[in-house]
Amino acid sequence: MKKLALLLPIFALAACGEESAPEPAATEVAAPEPESTLPPPDQAFFKRTFAETCEGAEPVSEAICRRAMGADTVSCEFSLGEDEYLRHEATLAANEDNTDWMLEDAENLCAEHGAHHQDS
């Protein structure tokens, strides 16, 4: 019993020295960037957009557009007129209010194909 009485102050001292663990600091979690909910453009959409944007250009005969997961642009390869090979490239980007796709760098793209750029 005497041994227990001697150890009791040591335990009491050890208990006094214990501090509760500090609360973890609140970390700021960045809100995820909103993903574009625009539907992927198809061939018909690209043909129409190119024709409306580049007045006087040969019509698009074939187009394939691809969008990488999470990307805010769409890469398109296309052919003009009677050409069956996808020799040309264009990029579609969401418009300012994210409601539709538009040709990125349309002025230069139209000029490259001998057409006049039309603002939409």
Side-chain angles (χ1 to χ4, degrees):
M1 187 84 151
K2 197 171 185 181
K3 288 183 185 179
L4 185 59
L6 289 175
L7 291 178
L8 198 53
I10 293 174
F11 287 127
L13 223 98
C16 290
E18 286 185 24
E19 293 182 27
S20 61
E23 291 292 318
T27 57
E28 288 186 31
V29 177
E33 298 231 355
E35 286 189 34
S36 174
T37 57
L38 286 172
D42 59 10
Q43 177 171 276
F45 177 86
F46 184 81
K47 285 180 174 184
R48 184 176 63 254
T49 302
F50 186 82
E52 291 171 356
T53 306
C54 296
E55 182 182 307
E58 284 188 82
V60 172
S61 54
E62 297 290 327
I64 296 175
C65 296
R66 295 178 185 95
R67 179 179 179 192
M69 187 180 297
D72 56 356
T73 59
V74 176
S75 175
C76 299
E77 296 177 81
F78 62 99
S79 60
L80 296 174
E82 298 295 317
D83 194 358
E84 60 186 52
Y85 298 104
L86 305 173
R87 300 178 195 274
H88 309 282
E89 295 180 358
T91 302
L92 294 173
N95 61 6
E96 288 183 26
D97 59 358
N98 284 329
T99 58
D100 207 358
W101 296 106
M102 61 182 200
L103 286 170
E104 191 173 74
D105 197 18
E107 196 167 323
N108 287 331
L109 180 66
C110 294
E112 179 182 322
H113 297 289
H116 177 68
H117 172 249
Q118 292 288 338
D119 284 327
S120 8

